[in-house]
Amino acid sequence: MKEDNDILKTIGRSDGMTVPDGYFADFAERMAGQLPQRPELAAMNVVAPPASLWGKLRPYVYMAAMFAGVWCMLKIFTTVSGPQQLAPMDKNPVMAKAFGSDEFFSDYVLDDVSSNDVIDDIMDEGIDLDSLMLDFE
């Protein structure tokens, strides 16, 4: 006897959630019959008031406000985190004074440059290292 590996044939496709035939055909009438009668509502002859101008425009105004809020948030985020344009040195006297100072330059700029970077820059500019007079004594 060959073993059947098809699990759907073994357990079937029924999930157990079934209703009797014709259950929903007269569902509305049966439900209305089970609800209590409310004659006062039928006597009042309640009619919904017509929608005002604000009631008709409100969804559109809310949607416009939402899009304006999203636009403002994106504008703020791109302003805060976007690329900033650096001012030229002649327009920024504090930075010009700092970079003009030998003390600032030796403390902050020269520490970030290795000797290999300096040699590479010299070689790229075409300066011959033998022509430089280096005295290490």
Side-chain angles (χ1 to χ4, degrees):
M1 184 171 194
K2 184 177 177 187
E3 184 178 332
D4 191 12
N5 290 332
D6 190 8
I7 195 163
L8 289 177
K9 287 182 183 176
T10 306
I11 62 169
R13 291 186 179 258
S14 174
D15 60 359
M17 303 290 182
T18 59
V19 294
D21 292 335
Y23 180 77
F24 289 109
D26 59 348
F27 181 76
E29 292 87 23
R30 284 187 291 122
M31 180 60 76
Q34 292 177 357
L35 292 175
Q37 296 297 322
R38 305 250 342 241
E40 68 274 6
L41 291 180
M44 289 175 54
N45 204 3
V46 178
V47 177
S52 65
L53 179 63
W54 173 244
K56 292 176 184 177
L57 291 178
R58 183 174 28 198
Y60 300 108
V61 171
Y62 288 169
M63 192 175 356
M66 179 199 62
F67 282 120
V70 169
W71 181 82
C72 287
M73 283 191 320
L74 290 175
K75 188 73 170 167
I76 289 171
F77 292 152
T78 56
T79 301
V80 170
S81 65
Q84 284 87 22
Q85 298 292 331
L86 298 177
M89 293 303 266
D90 58 347
K91 301 231 192 249
N92 192 342
V94 175
M95 291 300 292
K97 182 179 175 186
F99 279 116
S101 167
D102 290 337
E103 185 177 312
F104 175 85
F105 196 77
S106 65
D107 287 344
Y108 294 103
V109 177
L110 289 182
D111 288 343
D112 292 338
V113 178
S114 69
S115 59
N116 290 335
D117 292 336
V118 173
I119 293 173
D120 288 341
D121 287 342
I122 291 173
M123 296 294 280
D124 289 341
E125 290 179 11
I127 299 174
D128 186 20
L129 291 178
D130 295 333
S131 67
L132 297 175
M133 299 269 303
L134 300 175
D135 188 16
F136 290 111
E137 296 177 11

